[in-house]
Amino acid sequence: MTAASEKSGKAASEKTASEKAASEKTASEKAAPEKTASGRRVSARSAAASSRGESRTALVRRARRINRELAEVYPYAHPELDFENPFQLVVATVLSAQTTDLRVNQTTPALFARYPTPEDLAEADPEEVEEILRPTGFFRAKTKSVIGLSRTLRDEFGGEVPGRLEDLVKLPGVGRKTAFVVLGNAFGRPGITVDTHFQRLVRRWRWTAETEPDKIETAVGGLFPKSEWTMLSHHVIFHGRRICHARKPACGACPIAPLCPAYGEGETDPEKARKLLKYEKGGFPGQRLNPPQAYLDAGGRPAPPLGAG
């Protein structure tokens, strides 16, 4: 080989290596947003790597940082069931099983107009209640539960919803998840709501590997001060419904992507990811017909009543 050809070959090799390095850099830059909601720069890949073999202290710090970031993204986070008192909330939460909060919110106005108190619902004709609840699905079982819990409230609690966990779980159709929704949002007593969104996200974020709701509740509760439990639940559930979806999370539009070990499970292209956003993040109405004012002030839109549109 001549000196000229050797020089030419070396130049071509250096060019190929340079192009490869540039390509790898571009791919790395596209891998995730560089900043979290608060503007801090963090690598998503380093977050994924560091979460493996993560110490307890590091896990607590990362979990609390995610919650702080979500609090900035969703300062108006709230329970997405319409209610005016503890009785309405406990009934609405029971009805929300196997359906959307939106469908419940579209259905309960007629129910509470006809049966405004536990005493009223306790004496209701089951067939009439079934007809009102039909849009929520499983309406026969739900009718049995809401009439049963109303009778228990009337007969054992003087027509008032109790403010203790051990009493709430005695009501027909009420488990720990429903009880904590009521305690946190009707009585201001901290609780973690482990619904399907919460379960999915805390495992994606590797806060816990547990799969049973009560064990998830214990594991995640240990990462945060008790005073933060109720709002933590709202932040996580809001995020799960709007961005971190079950089948196709919008990773490229996620404000906490740099902190997420599961980054890349969903769409990473920012433009394509933005098209996956739901509710106010995607410009669509939320779940509630009568949402809090803070939600409306942030650009959220109320849902339409049943049968509208």
Side-chain angles (χ1 to χ4, degrees), residues 8 69 88 97 120 154 214 227 260 287 294:
S8 175
E69 298 289 346
Q88 290 188 1
D120 295 323
R154 178 195 64 188
D214 58 338
S227 60
C260 180
Q287 299 270 284

Side-chain angles (χ1 to χ4, degrees), residues 19-286:
E19 290 174 343
K20 182 178 180 182
S23 176
E24 289 177 348
K25 181 180 180 181
T26 300
S28 176
E29 288 172 346
K30 289 182 178 179
E34 290 184 340
K35 296 182 180 181
T36 56
S38 63
R40 302 185 194 90
R41 293 180 179 273
V42 186
S43 164
R45 289 184 176 180
S46 67
S50 65
S51 69
R52 294 190 290 271
E54 191 173 40
S55 70
R56 173 71 179 182
T57 299
L59 170 60
V60 169
R61 288 174 177 169
R62 182 169 63 87
R64 293 185 181 184
R65 182 170 173 185
I66 286 176
N67 188 40
R68 289 196 300 272
E69 298 289 346
L70 292 180
E72 292 187 23
V73 177
Y74 310 107
Y76 46 77
H78 57 269
E80 294 193 88
L81 289 167
D82 283 323
F83 69 98
E84 295 179 358
N85 54 56
F87 172 62
Q88 290 188 1
L89 180 58
V90 71
V91 169
T93 308
V94 169
L95 296 179
S96 69
Q98 304 299 314
T99 191
T100 64
D101 286 356
L102 170 58
R103 181 60 69 184
V104 174
N105 292 336
Q106 292 173 325
T107 304
T108 51
L111 179 70
F112 296 137
R114 179 73 177 82
Y115 311 105
T117 69
E119 291 82 2
D120 295 323
L121 192 50
E123 297 297 329
D125 180 340
E127 291 186 0
E128 292 182 5
V129 177
E130 286 178 2
E131 192 58 34
I132 295 173
L133 300 184
R134 187 180 294 272
T136 68
F138 303 95
F139 58 90
R140 291 189 180 88
K142 291 179 180 181
T143 294
K144 184 177 180 180
S145 291
V146 297
I147 289 179
L149 73 83
S150 296
R151 288 174 177 169
T152 302
L153 291 175
R154 178 195 64 188
D155 299 340
E156 298 184 24
F157 298 100
E160 299 291 333
V161 176
R164 299 194 310 164
L165 175 65
E166 54 268 38
D167 292 329
L168 283 168
V169 295
K170 294 177 183 177
L171 303 176
V174 176
R176 288 180 67 87
K177 184 192 81 171
T178 297
F180 281 129
V181 170
V182 175
L183 288 173
N185 298 289
F187 294 99
R189 296 176 183 172
I192 293 178
T193 303
V194 185
D195 72 349
T196 55
H197 301 286
F198 194 93
Q199 292 183 50
R200 181 178 74 253
L201 268 62
V202 299
R203 287 198 296 270
R204 274 183 179 166
W205 295 335
R206 296 180 188 164
W207 288 2
T208 180
E210 300 291 353
T211 57
E212 297 178 21
D214 58 338
K215 292 182 179 179
I216 291 173
E217 177 192 320
T218 299
V220 175
L223 302 176
F224 297 89
K226 191 172 182 178
S227 60
E228 296 182 11
W229 288 357
T230 298
M231 287 309 300
L232 167 70
S233 300
H234 291 325
H235 296 153
V236 175
I237 293 169
F238 252 60
H239 193 61
R241 285 177 167 168
R242 286 153 177 77
I243 296 177
C244 195
H245 311 137
R247 295 183 181 178
K248 199 169 185 180
C251 294
C254 180
I256 61 163
L259 301 171
C260 180
Y263 175 82
E265 286 186 8
E267 180 57 65
T268 58
D269 180 85
E271 292 301 320
K272 292 180 180 178
R274 272 193 283 273
K275 295 179 181 179
L276 300 174
L277 302 183
K278 297 181 179 179
Y279 307 129
E280 79 284 348
K281 294 300 176 186
F284 306 112

